[in-house]
């Protein structure tokens, strides 16, 4: 086919669009809507995914963690007995290679305040290193971050609200009067009362969020509460915190159980032979039989040399096999003072989570850590918070940097290994949402196929005439394919423009989901608290436009082939 011939066929296809104007417009609109929605949904999912991943790295995990392999295998249980010593050497080696690191000892427990209790996950941290590596310490709703060597706590905002510690943002009148009555002096009481007043009224004409709770009783209860005045200065908030702390509001107690590896000094014979030995491998079984002696009178097995290296190896074997007698449980109470409330962009730091200095828990009054930690967080020094970890922050690169100092039994794992639940949820949401949009696409292209079918049937005689005048079947097919492709191209152009216009405010401002977040306890799967933003995806935008055009063109092939199968003489007689 010559260039001139192709141009003539293309011009004919373009003129044919106006012959069925109504159908053409409806089909073009269907394509435009499908393309626009796909671009919008893709950008929204990409934005939530990118923000969530950045927040995981910057506020929660870092680029990687160094942990014992045994701890990682049981990480959901928070097995504190699988902690490890000597993190300082690893940290020094990482620093020499340009990495920041922060040690942590993670444990669970119950936190008691004057007003309630809450199950908690506690992170014992090195405050200085934590501030350098992660960003959540900068997002304090009130107070400050704990200082090294002191039994101080920073709590997530939801835990603080539940336990009624920290500065109340929306107290009832009775609660405020109680706070003022507990102030040390009358002047302090008057100061407390002066910082609260009725909540600011909504601006006239302001729209109610579609996500806002519409329950009249709850709305009335919220309206009756007082609010901390918006113009309160940092100095005023610091003074208010000091007054509340002096009243005992910030005093809390941690109740936890210390899990320690300990080879039992005596094991009943039936348990030793029926439970322990079958669970051990050949080498571990030999060590156990060498370390324990059987009492000929009772049949029990007794540890021959407690406190030796051999006994330590046996207790590690027992713990690794899951033998119940290898773990000793010690109940412990730790008194602390809440000094800050965390409210960061990552909801995982704002829930039932507490942060306490690691060095405040080393001795018998703490958790008897003796320098052990459960994990060492790692991030490249000076890493860009807006970028996800690259090759130099991969587990392989970090492991290579500390290969000489990394003890056997410890391993480096990347941040993705710790958020498999989030990644699975995101992938599920991604697939289901795209499936819905795909079906919308499918309906649009069925419409195109229907439009082309009707157009081709109405032009059956015309098709026969074109073939009789010398046009080949391929040229006729090309004419109809170009016609459908033009519908797809015009619809795609409008759809791409509409999708980009919808994305501009979503990328710049996003949608405020704070009402949804509050209703769901601050955490609804994504590592985002209130603002959901979209992100530009130029490749997806281009591929969507091109793909819609090609699919539209392809939709004309079946009805065109059906018409071309009719003999020319039958086409000319078709009525």
């Amino acid at each position: 086919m010559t260039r001139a011939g192709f141009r003539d066929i293309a011009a004919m296809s373009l003129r044919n669009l106006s012959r069925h104007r109504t159908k053409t417009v409806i089909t073009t609109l269907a394509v435009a809507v499908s393309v626009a929605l796909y671009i919008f949904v893709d950008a929204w999912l990409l934005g939530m995914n990118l923000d969530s991943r950045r927040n995981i790295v910057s506020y929660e995990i870092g680029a990687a963690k160094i942990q014992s392999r045994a701890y990682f295998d049981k990480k959901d249980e928070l097995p504190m007995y699988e902690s490890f010593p000597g993190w300082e050497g690893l940290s020094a080696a990482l620093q020499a290679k340009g990495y920041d690191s922060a040690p942590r000892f993670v444990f669970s427990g119950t936190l008691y305040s004057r007003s309630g209790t809450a199950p908690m996950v506690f992170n014992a941290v090195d405050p200085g290193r934590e501030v350098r590596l992660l960003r959540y310490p900068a997002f304090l709703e009130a107070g400050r971050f704990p200082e090294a060597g002191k039994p101080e706590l920073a709590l997530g905002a939801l835990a603080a609200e539940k336990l009624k510690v920290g500065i109340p943002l929306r107290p009832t009148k009775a609660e405020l009067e109680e706070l003022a009555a507990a102030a040390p002096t009358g002047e302090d009481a008057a100061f407390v009362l002066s910082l609260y007043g009725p909540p600011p009224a909504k601006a006239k004409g302001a729209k109610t969020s579609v996500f806002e709770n519409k329950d009249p009783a709850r709305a009335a209860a919220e309206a009756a509460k007082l609010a901390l005045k918006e113009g309160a200065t940092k100095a005023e908030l610091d003074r208010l915190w000091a007054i509340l702390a002096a009243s005992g509001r910030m005093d809390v107690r941690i109740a936890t159980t210390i899990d320690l590896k300990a080879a039992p000094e005596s094991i009943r014979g039936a348990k030793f032979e029926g439970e322990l030995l079958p669970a051990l491998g050949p080498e571990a079984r030999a060590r156990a039989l060498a370390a324990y002696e059987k009492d000929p009178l009772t049949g029990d097995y007794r540890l021959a040399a407690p406190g030796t290296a051999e006994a330590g190896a046996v207790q590690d074997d027992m713990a690794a096999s899951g033998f119940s007698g290898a773990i000793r449980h010690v109940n412990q109470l730790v008194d602390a003072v809440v000094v800050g409330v965390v409210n960061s962009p990552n909801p995982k730091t704002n829930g039932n989570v507490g942060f306490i200095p690691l060095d405040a828990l080393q001795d018998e009054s703490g958790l008897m850590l003796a320098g052990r930690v459960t994990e060492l967080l790692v991030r490249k020094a000076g890493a860009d918070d807006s970028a996800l970890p690259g090759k130099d922050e991969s587990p392989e690169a970090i492991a290579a940097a500390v290969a000489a100092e990394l003890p056997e039994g410890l391993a480096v794992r990347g941040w993705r290994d710790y958020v498999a639940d989030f990644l699975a949820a995101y992938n599920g949401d991604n697939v289901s949402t795209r499936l819905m949009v795909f079906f919308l696409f499918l309906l649009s292209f069925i419409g195109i196929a229907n439009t082309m079918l009707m157009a081709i049937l109405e032009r059956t005689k015309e098709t026969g005439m074109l073939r009789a005048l010398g046009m080949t079947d391929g040229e006729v097919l090309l004419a109809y394919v170009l016609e459908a492709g033009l519908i797809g191209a015009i619809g795609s152009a409008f759809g791409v423009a509409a999708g980009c216009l919808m994305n501009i405010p979503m990328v710049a401002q996003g949608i405020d989901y704070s009402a949804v977040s509050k209703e769901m306890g601050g955490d609804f799967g994504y590592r985002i608290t209130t603002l959901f933003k979209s992100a530009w995806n130029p490749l997806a935008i281009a591929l969507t436009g091109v793909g819609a055009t090609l699919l539209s063109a392809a939709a004309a092939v079946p009805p065109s082939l059906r018409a071309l199968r009719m003999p020319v003489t039958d086409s000319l007689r078709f009525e």
Side-chain angles (χ1 to χ4, degrees), residues 15-28:
R15 286 194 301 271
N16 282 338
L17 296 181
S18 61
R19 295 177 61 182
H20 301 274
R21 194 167 299 169
T22 301
K23 292 178 181 177
T24 298
V25 169
I26 292 174
T27 308
T28 301

Side-chain angles (χ1 to χ4, degrees), residues 217-290:
R218 290 186 61 180
E222 283 295 315
K225 290 182 178 179
L226 301 172
L228 184 67
K229 70 177 186 180
E230 294 181 358
T233 65
K234 186 178 185 307
E236 289 176 325
L237 293 176
D238 288 344
R239 182 184 173 187
L240 176 58
W241 187 284
I243 292 171
L244 297 178
S247 71
R249 180 181 174 88
M250 312 301 179
D251 296 338
V252 293
R253 174 169 287 176
I254 301 170
T256 188
T257 300
I258 306 172
D259 297 329
L260 302 171
K261 285 183 183 178
E265 294 188 2
S266 176
I267 306 176
R268 286 184 291 106
K271 189 171 185 179
F272 187 91
E273 296 170 358
E275 181 179 335
L276 176 60
L277 292 181
L280 299 176
E283 294 182 3
R285 189 180 301 120
R287 284 193 291 267
L289 290 171

Side-chain angles (χ1 to χ4, degrees), residues 3 43 54-55 130 143 172 189 198 406 443-444 565 571:
R3 184 178 300 176
R54 291 182 189 125
N55 288 348
E130 193 86 356
T172 64
L406 193 65
L443 290 174
S444 300
R565 281 196 294 269
S571 298

Side-chain angles (χ1 to χ4, degrees), residues 34-344:
S34 300
V35 170
L37 280 178
Y38 187 87
I39 291 172
F40 176 79
V41 170
D42 177 78
W44 194 11
L45 288 172
L46 178 63
M48 291 192 295
N49 181 38
L50 285 176
D51 281 346
S52 292
R53 293 178 185 228
R54 291 182 189 125
N55 288 348
I56 287 169
V57 173
S58 297
Y59 297 88
E60 189 177 340
I61 293 175
K65 288 183 182 182
I66 298 177
Q67 285 181 327
S68 72
R69 292 185 176 88
Y71 186 97
F72 181 81
D73 292 340
K74 296 176 278 191
K75 63 182 183 297
D76 293 337
E77 303 171 15
L78 301 180
M80 60 171 65
Y81 54 88
E82 298 293 1
S83 55
F84 63 93
W87 64 268
E88 296 87 350
L90 291 171
S91 181
L94 288 166
Q95 186 176 3
K97 296 291 186 178
Y99 293 95
D100 285 332
S101 59
R104 279 185 171 187
F105 193 96
V106 183
F107 63 100
S108 61
T110 303
L111 189 63
Y112 294 84
S113 71
R114 293 192 313 180
S115 303
T117 64
M120 301 282 292
V121 173
F122 297 96
N123 296 279
V125 303
D126 181 311
R129 293 172 180 270
E130 193 86 356
V131 169
R132 281 199 304 273
L133 195 141
L134 297 177
R135 301 294 170 258
Y136 74 87
F139 290 84
L140 293 174
E141 187 174 272
R144 58 175 174 80
F145 201 64
E147 295 178 357
K150 298 179 180 179
E152 298 178 338
L153 264 176
L155 293 183
L158 292 176
E161 182 180 4
K162 186 183 300 182
L163 295 170
K164 295 188 178 180
V165 299
I167 295 176
L169 301 180
R170 295 293 306 276
T172 64
K173 186 176 180 181
E175 289 171 342
L176 182 61
E177 290 174 350
E178 183 181 344
L179 294 178
T185 67
E187 181 184 350
D188 288 338
F191 174 75
V192 171
L193 293 173
S194 71
L195 289 181
Y196 290 89
K202 280 189 177 181
K204 190 175 181 180
K207 292 183 179 179
T208 301
S209 168
V210 294
F211 304 113
E212 193 171 319
N213 193 290
K214 304 297 193 302
D215 184 5
R218 290 186 61 180
E222 283 295 315
K225 290 182 178 179
L226 301 172
L228 184 67
K229 70 177 186 180
E230 294 181 358
T233 65
K234 186 178 185 307
E236 289 176 325
L237 293 176
D238 288 344
R239 182 184 173 187
L240 176 58
W241 187 284
I243 292 171
L244 297 178
S247 71
R249 180 181 174 88
M250 312 301 179
D251 296 338
V252 293
R253 174 169 287 176
I254 301 170
T256 188
T257 300
I258 306 172
D259 297 329
L260 302 171
K261 285 183 183 178
E265 294 188 2
S266 176
I267 306 176
R268 286 184 291 106
K271 189 171 185 179
F272 187 91
E273 296 170 358
E275 181 179 335
L276 176 60
L277 292 181
L280 299 176
E283 294 182 3
R285 189 180 301 120
R287 284 193 291 267
L289 290 171
Y292 281 87
E293 297 176 347
K294 187 172 184 179
D295 188 318
L297 295 178
T298 64
D300 294 343
Y301 285 80
R302 300 187 183 279
L303 189 61
T308 62
E310 291 76 10
V314 170
Q315 76 180 22
D316 289 341
D317 293 337
M318 290 179 176
S321 70
F323 180 61
S324 58
I327 308 301
R328 184 161 58 93
H329 306 288
V330 179
N331 294 326
Q332 181 69 304
L333 297 175
V334 179
D335 290 326
V337 176
V338 177
V339 296
V341 176
V342 178
N343 193 359
S344 84

Side-chain angles (χ1 to χ4, degrees), residues 219-563:
E222 283 295 315
K225 290 182 178 179
L226 301 172
L228 184 67
K229 70 177 186 180
E230 294 181 358
T233 65
K234 186 178 185 307
E236 289 176 325
L237 293 176
D238 288 344
R239 182 184 173 187
L240 176 58
W241 187 284
I243 292 171
L244 297 178
S247 71
R249 180 181 174 88
M250 312 301 179
D251 296 338
V252 293
R253 174 169 287 176
I254 301 170
T256 188
T257 300
I258 306 172
D259 297 329
L260 302 171
K261 285 183 183 178
E265 294 188 2
S266 176
I267 306 176
R268 286 184 291 106
K271 189 171 185 179
F272 187 91
E273 296 170 358
E275 181 179 335
L276 176 60
L277 292 181
L280 299 176
E283 294 182 3
R285 189 180 301 120
R287 284 193 291 267
L289 290 171
Y292 281 87
E293 297 176 347
K294 187 172 184 179
D295 188 318
L297 295 178
T298 64
D300 294 343
Y301 285 80
R302 300 187 183 279
L303 189 61
T308 62
E310 291 76 10
V314 170
Q315 76 180 22
D316 289 341
D317 293 337
M318 290 179 176
S321 70
F323 180 61
S324 58
I327 308 301
R328 184 161 58 93
H329 306 288
V330 179
N331 294 326
Q332 181 69 304
L333 297 175
V334 179
D335 290 326
V337 176
V338 177
V339 296
V341 176
V342 178
N343 193 359
S344 84
N346 186 332
K348 289 296 182 183
T349 65
N350 308 337
N352 284 15
V353 181
F355 304 91
I356 187 169
L358 183 63
D359 54 0
L361 300 176
Q362 296 297 319
D363 56 20
E364 289 78 5
S365 64
L367 301 184
M368 299 181 284
L369 299 184
R372 303 176 72 88
V373 297
T374 57
E375 59 196 35
L376 188 65
L377 278 57
V378 184
R379 187 88 209 263
K380 191 74 174 177
D384 183 2
D385 290 341
S386 65
L388 292 174
K391 290 184 178 179
D392 57 346
E393 293 184 282
S394 66
E396 295 77 16
I398 295 171
V402 294
E405 287 78 17
L406 193 65
E408 185 179 354
L410 298 188
V412 183
R413 287 183 171 83
W415 62 273
R416 287 181 176 84
D417 294 326
Y418 296 91
V419 291
D421 55 341
F422 160 73
L423 295 175
Y426 166 74
N427 290 332
D429 288 348
N430 196 16
V431 170
S432 60
T433 305
R434 290 176 191 274
L435 275 175
M436 287 189 288
V437 178
F438 169 76
F439 282 119
L440 186 61
F441 257 110
L442 188 62
L443 290 174
S444 300
F445 298 123
I446 289 174
I448 292 174
N450 181 63
T451 298
M452 294 307 301
L453 176 63
M454 298 302 295
I456 291 169
L457 285 175
E458 291 173 3
R459 283 182 270 168
T460 300
K461 185 178 290 188
E462 179 183 325
T463 300
M465 187 179 298
L466 291 173
R467 295 167 69 191
L469 291 173
M471 284 186 70
T472 66
D473 288 355
E475 289 171 336
V476 174
L477 176 63
L478 177 61
Y480 288 132
V481 168
L482 284 176
E483 183 178 339
L486 285 170
I487 292 175
I490 296 170
S492 295
F494 281 110
V496 167
C500 290
L501 287 174
M502 288 191 294
N503 273 343
I504 290 173
M506 284 296 297
V507 171
Q509 299 170 348
I511 295 180
D512 185 358
Y513 271 74
S514 55
V516 176
S517 178
K518 186 175 181 180
E519 289 297 321
M520 300 184 70
D523 187 358
F524 41 87
Y526 288 94
R527 300 299 205 272
I528 305 171
T529 49
T530 58
L531 202 61
F532 277 24
K533 286 187 173 184
S534 296
W536 291 111
N537 190 352
L539 180 62
I541 292 172
L543 290 178
T544 302
V546 173
T549 301
L550 294 177
L551 286 173
S552 299
V557 173
S560 300
L561 292 176
R562 177 182 175 184

